């Protein structure tokens, strides 16, 4: 069994050694330009087109992340990046669920306990207690109730928050209100005081976080975007902040990353910027899942994390 590996920044030796330990029967190599030797599987993130273009014999291509929008966009821009008919698989959780719970909870509690405002008061040496928000009037809405959204919802319910989610199809998550489909998006948004975005970036969801959507939220709403920058109309957020429709936002992802040094988000008093770190790929847990999926494929079973290329995630 031959496995190809390519990631622009990961430590390839960590992956080579970890895969050899988990799959002693495999030969794992880092792909280099010009390498067209046979391979059965490829583990990739932002692969050059030439890496996979002629490899229609692959049994599986493993994206080294949860979101596959970038590799699908590469295929759109350079057809053949992903050979047709080869299963594309993504990481499902592999430690990203807990990280996303931590990230989202950090900002939910920052906003719910008005710590963002106390931080601004401190800059003015202002000793001024503020009227606390109450959970009864602080409903939280999660866009995207998949692997990560469900775990975030469960963590928030555990803290006593009222939580609703929005997805493509109905979801049954204990203690969480479920809305699905575009027709029910207004009902999901109505009254939502804190909105969390955990959608995949697809043709249906790109640009979904626009001013029209923000105006459907409760006044002085909060926004946490930990999905993709492509979801957010950045100028619309600045307008919503100026108009008071949005009180504050925590953003982990941006239309262009790294965020340009001159971007207004860096200095906006009501915007918190983090450098796409909400939930990162953890090699050991990722390799465990990838190897389990390889073994499933080798046994003719259905692996986890199969991507529907037409659906976009
Ligand atoms: N900032 C970061 O560090 C990270 C960001 N992410 C992002 O989080 C996203 C979600 O990850 P998972 O939960 O693993 O994905 P998932 O595929 O398990 O869940 C996606 C959810 O979005 C919903 N959805 C998709 N299209 C929709 C539509 N058109 N209308 C309504 N709902 C729709 C699905 O029904 C599902 O509930 C990833 O695609 C990625 O973009 C993932 C990991 C880390
Ligand atoms: O896995 C993903 O999709 C991420 O955004 C992590 O970088």
């Amino acid at each position: 069994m031959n496995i190809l590996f390519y990631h622009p920044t990961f430590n390839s030796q960590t992956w080579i050694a970890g895969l050899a330990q988990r799959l002693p029967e495999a030969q794992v190599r880092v792909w280099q330009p010009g390498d067209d030797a046979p391979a059965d599987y490829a583990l990739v993130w932002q692969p050059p087109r030439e890496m996979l273009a002629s490899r229609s014999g692959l049994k599986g291509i493993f994206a080294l992340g949860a979101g596959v929008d970038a590799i699908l966009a590469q295929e759109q821009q350079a057809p053949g990046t992903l050979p047709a008919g080869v299963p594309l698989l993504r990481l499902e959780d592999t430690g990203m669920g807990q990280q996303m719970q931590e990230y989202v909870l950090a900002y939910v509690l920052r906003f719910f306990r008005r710590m963002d405002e106390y931080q601004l008061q401190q800059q003015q040496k202002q000793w001024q207690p503020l009227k606390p928000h109450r959970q009864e009037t602080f409903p939280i809405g999660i866009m995207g109730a998949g692997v990560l959204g469900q775990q975030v919802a469960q963590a928030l319910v555990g803290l006593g928050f009222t939580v609703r989610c929005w997805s493509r199809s109905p979801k049954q998550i204990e203690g969480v209100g479920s809305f699905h489909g575009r027709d029910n998006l207004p009902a999901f948004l109505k009254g939502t005081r804190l909105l969390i975005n955990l959608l995949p970036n697809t043709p249906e969801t790109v640009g979904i976080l626009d001013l029209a959507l923000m105006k459907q939220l409760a006044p002085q709403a909060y926004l946490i975007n930990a999905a993709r920058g492509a979801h957010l109309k950045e100028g619309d957020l600045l307008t919503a902040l100026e108009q008071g429709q949005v009180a504050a936002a925590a953003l982990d992802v941006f239309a262009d990353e790294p965020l340009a040094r001159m971007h207004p988000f860096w200095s906006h008093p009501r915007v918190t910027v983090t450098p796409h770190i909400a939930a990162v790929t953890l090699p050991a847990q990722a390799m465990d899942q990838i190897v389990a999926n390889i073994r499933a494929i080798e046994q003719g079973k259905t692996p986890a994390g199969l991507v529907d290329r037409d659906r976009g995630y």
Side-chain angles (χ1 to χ4, degrees):
M1 178 192 298
N2 291 296
I3 298 176
L4 282 176
F5 178 88
Y6 179 86
H7 192 292
T9 59
F10 282 0
N11 178 326
S12 52
Q13 286 318 305
T14 300
W15 289 77
I16 302 279
L19 289 164
Q21 187 186 15
R22 292 167 173 83
L23 266 180
E25 69 272 31
Q27 288 72 47
V28 188
R29 68 181 191 272
V30 176
W31 180 83
Q32 303 288 350
D35 175 349
D36 57 6
D40 300 291
Y41 297 95
L43 279 54
V44 299
W45 192 257
Q46 297 173 355
R49 181 183 179 283
E50 65 168 299
M51 175 179 177
L52 303 175
S54 60
R55 295 183 179 276
S56 55
L58 285 169
K59 299 177 187 174
I61 298 170
F62 292 89
L64 296 172
V68 290
D69 50 324
I71 199 165
L72 293 177
Q74 281 182 264
E75 170 58 21
Q76 285 276 330
Q77 289 145 23
T81 299
L82 284 173
V86 176
L88 173 64
L89 301 99
R90 71 185 194 94
L91 296 178
E92 288 190 334
D93 191 348
T94 63
M96 287 189 269
Q98 179 174 339
Q99 292 177 76
M100 196 56 85
Q101 286 180 326
E102 294 162 354
Y103 183 90
V104 170
L105 286 183
Y107 286 104
V108 166
L109 293 175
R110 172 179 167 82
F111 294 144
F112 178 68
R113 293 301 305 269
R114 306 186 73 167
M115 296 300 180
D116 55 323
E117 295 170 88
Y118 287 121
Q119 192 170 353
L120 293 172
Q121 287 188 170
Q122 179 175 339
Q123 291 166 9
Q124 308 301 325
K125 298 185 174 58
Q126 191 181 0
W127 180 280
Q128 180 54 56
L130 299 169
K131 184 180 178 212
H133 291 314
R134 293 172 37 248
Q135 287 187 336
E136 298 75 18
T137 55
F138 203 87
I140 295 175
I142 303 173
M143 298 178 82
V147 169
L148 300 181
Q150 291 190 30
Q151 292 187 57
V152 167
Q154 286 159 353
L156 290 167
V157 167
L159 282 177
F161 287 101
T162 299
V163 182
R164 65 197 57 176
C165 66
W166 182 67
S167 52
R168 271 165 70 104
S169 54
K171 300 281 182 183
Q172 300 293 330
I173 311 169
E174 191 174 348
V176 177
S178 170
F179 295 78
H180 69 280
R182 273 284 175 163
D183 292 347
N184 297 309
L185 182 56
F188 162 78
L189 294 169
K190 185 173 171 56
T192 292
R193 185 68 192 272
L194 189 152
L195 182 66
I196 300 160
N197 178 35
L198 285 171
L199 289 166
N201 174 29
T202 71
E204 286 182 15
T205 64
V206 64
I208 194 167
L209 300 177
D210 62 9
L211 188 58
L213 178 140
M214 294 174 212
K215 285 184 170 178
Q216 296 178 62
L217 299 168
Q220 289 287 296
Y222 298 90
L223 172 66
I224 299 172
N225 187 17
R228 286 292 186 263
H231 290 126
L232 177 64
K233 295 279 183 73
E234 295 181 350
D236 282 14
L237 175 58
L238 292 170
T239 302
L241 285 161
E242 192 180 324
Q243 293 176 351
Q245 174 56 58
V246 171
L251 308 174
D252 186 56
V253 287
F254 304 88
D256 296 309
E257 296 179 5
L259 188 64
R261 288 179 62 82
M262 300 310 291
H263 198 290
F265 283 163
W266 282 115
S267 56
H268 196 292
R270 299 279 181 147
V271 173
T272 302
V273 170
T274 51
H276 200 146
I277 47 82
V280 301
T281 298
L282 302 175
Q285 296 185 52
M287 282 187 269
D288 287 345
Q289 186 173 94
I290 290 168
V291 167
N293 279 334
I294 287 174
R295 294 202 189 287
I297 293 168
E298 291 291 310
Q299 295 163 17
K301 296 175 184 169
T302 304
L306 278 171
V307 170
D308 178 330
R309 295 191 193 190
D310 296 332
R311 199 177 63 171
Y313 70 102

